[in-house]
Amino acid sequence: MNCYFEEGENFVWIRDREKGDSELAIALKMIREKYRNGDKQAMVAEDIRTEKKYFVKVLFCNNLEQIYVEKESKVQLYSPYVVRIFGGMLDEKNRRFITLVEYIDENDLSDMVRSPGVAGNTWNEKMRSCNTIALKILYGIDHYMSMHREDPIVHRDLKPENIVAAPDGSVVKIIDFDWVHLHDSNMTVMLRREQKGTPGYADPRYWNSYICRKEMDIYSAGLVLYYLYTGNHHFYGNEELQRYMVGDDYAYELKEMPGIDGRLTKIIARMIAREGERYTDIREVIADMEQYLTSVGRMPELPELLKENRYQNTIRFSYKVGDVKYSPYLKDYRFVPIVFGKKQERSRNGKMSGHIMSFYRTGDKIKAIILHEDCHTVRQKDPAYVSEGDLYSYVGTNIEILQIKKSG
């Protein structure tokens, strides 16, 4: 019998440690149940100490070998457009695997489009919100695919229900990496033959195969954008789904999108085209989308894009971790992850596993991201940007900003 969590129950979640991971333990109180379905359960919980909310996903494992195909807990990266996953815990006594996930107080794209709908009182205002959401979805895909370019992470189940969004696009997060293909993981795609994705959004060619390619996510993302801009599923009803599942031309031809600019529909059409005609890299999609939006004067401002820019000057950024000083030069945008017990190295992708916090350049300013629950700000001159003299602390060790100096 499954040992489900009950509302009001207290539980100490402790992340399973792998090589290089730091321990993370959080005392939780279960607030409310989101769903309970056979061997799966989801709860909203809060940290008893800080009252911060989390999403708790539970997989019951009568056969403990099931946990070895559980993959979502290993998707640990920082991106403004991808849900933050803190890791997993095996509760052997109750035969359950518990993944702790960032709590986001927004509807999924499916619910948001139906009600209240994208924000805006006019057609142009609604298109502005759609454009913002669309770009953030594409950048979120790029963020997880760019972690390992030779063997990219593939979500495999992109659909409106797996994207959380605010009506104005201020918040957009890709969620639910249950079907993910992980870098260097044969287990993900080879252990068993299984369906991948959701009918109507998954590329039918890969529905029941061993193959895993990034073009799968590009196809699904194209159908998500169709839904976002039209409010309708591209393939709807049993008859259409049956035709789509055959995998002939019907599955790869875009329907009409009334009122939508032909240049935009051309991009979406190429996203869902047959391989050979489809985009092969999500960055090609982003480039065409940005070029189109810029040409019609509708390119939204996304200050938190965290994309690499080219700057004329260099910033010398010095900080001290305990008694050890580091002085990286920041000419272009870079994450500078703070990792305890390891050499400090630059990272363009912001991989979070084992990181305490990260610094990055945006324009002529430096920003900070706190990634570990036990890291906190002690002293800060400007809450928006990092300043000389700022001080952070992690379990008794100080991280102090010494110098931010621009040079030509």
Side-chain angles (χ1 to χ4, degrees), residues 242-308:
Q242 288 174 7
R243 289 187 62 191
Y244 139 87
M245 286 299 291
V246 173
D248 60 12
D249 291 343
Y250 185 74
Y252 304 104
E253 293 178 351
L254 184 71
K255 293 180 179 179
E256 291 186 3
M257 299 176 65
I260 305 300
D261 192 314
R263 288 169 290 183
L264 176 56
T265 63
K266 186 177 179 181
I267 294 171
I268 298 175
R270 188 178 168 194
M271 293 176 73
I272 73 165
R274 285 186 177 277
E275 285 196 14
E277 301 174 6
R278 189 183 310 168
Y279 289 101
T280 58
D281 195 305
I282 197 67
R283 292 185 178 179
E284 298 173 355
V285 184
I286 292 171
D288 283 355
M289 181 70 79
E290 289 187 342
Q291 184 179 33
Y292 159 69
L293 293 174
T294 301
S295 70
V296 295
R298 293 181 179 175
M299 180 67 184
E301 292 186 11
L302 303 179
E304 73 279 40
L305 264 182
L306 306 188
K307 61 186 288 189
E308 184 171 2

Side-chain angles (χ1 to χ4, degrees), residues 68-232:
Y68 296 114
V69 297
E70 198 291 322
K71 303 170 288 290
E72 183 176 36
S73 65
K74 297 178 176 62
V75 183
Q76 297 179 35
L77 59 103
Y78 174 80
S79 166
Y81 314 128
V82 176
V83 69
R84 183 178 171 194
I85 300 167
F86 297 90
M89 170 189 177
L90 175 61
D91 179 3
E92 288 193 61
K93 178 181 177 182
N94 295 302
R95 307 183 77 81
R96 59 190 180 184
F97 190 85
I98 305 162
T99 302
L100 198 65
V101 181
E102 173 186 12
Y103 176 76
I104 307 164
D105 192 17
E106 299 287 352
N107 290 328
D108 65 50
L109 194 62
S110 180
D111 288 339
M112 186 274 286
V113 167
R114 288 197 298 263
S115 178
V118 293
N121 296 319
T122 67
W123 176 258
N124 285 335
E125 289 175 351
K126 289 182 180 295
M127 285 300 99
R128 186 179 301 114
S129 297
C130 285
N131 295 336
T132 300
I133 294 169
L135 268 184
K136 289 185 176 183
I137 292 171
L138 296 176
Y139 267 100
I141 296 170
D142 180 46
H143 283 170
Y144 66 70
M145 283 188 177
S146 65
M147 294 288 293
H148 308 282
R149 299 295 292 179
E150 297 302 317
D151 180 19
I153 291 173
V154 183
H155 187 286
R156 301 202 299 169
D157 195 20
L158 289 176
K159 57 184 178 180
E161 291 80 5
N162 284 342
I163 295 168
V164 173
D168 62 354
S170 57
V171 175
V172 175
K173 299 271 188 177
I174 298 171
I175 65 171
D176 214 346
F177 284 78
D178 286 347
W179 292 98
V180 68
H181 165 67
L182 289 169
H183 167 71
D184 200 24
S185 173
N186 290 332
M187 189 175 299
T188 304
V189 292
M190 297 300 291
L191 185 63
R192 58 187 181 186
R193 193 177 181 89
E194 57 190 9
Q195 287 77 27
K196 303 162 186 72
T198 299
Y201 284 90
D203 185 336
R205 179 185 175 193
Y206 300 109
W207 172 249
N208 193 23
S209 73
Y210 291 108
I211 304 170
C212 183
R213 296 168 60 90
K214 59 186 178 181
E215 286 85 352
M216 297 165 63
D217 278 5
I218 294 174
Y219 178 88
S220 300
L223 295 176
V224 168
L225 295 194
Y226 177 91
Y227 179 82
L228 170 65
Y229 283 102
T230 67
N232 299 309

Side-chain angles (χ1 to χ4, degrees), residues 13-17 20-25 372 374 394-395:
W13 181 87
I14 303 174
R15 179 170 62 194
D16 287 346
R17 294 187 62 181
D21 279 348
S22 57
E23 185 174 277
L24 176 61
H372 197 286
D374 290 329
Y394 172 71
V395 292

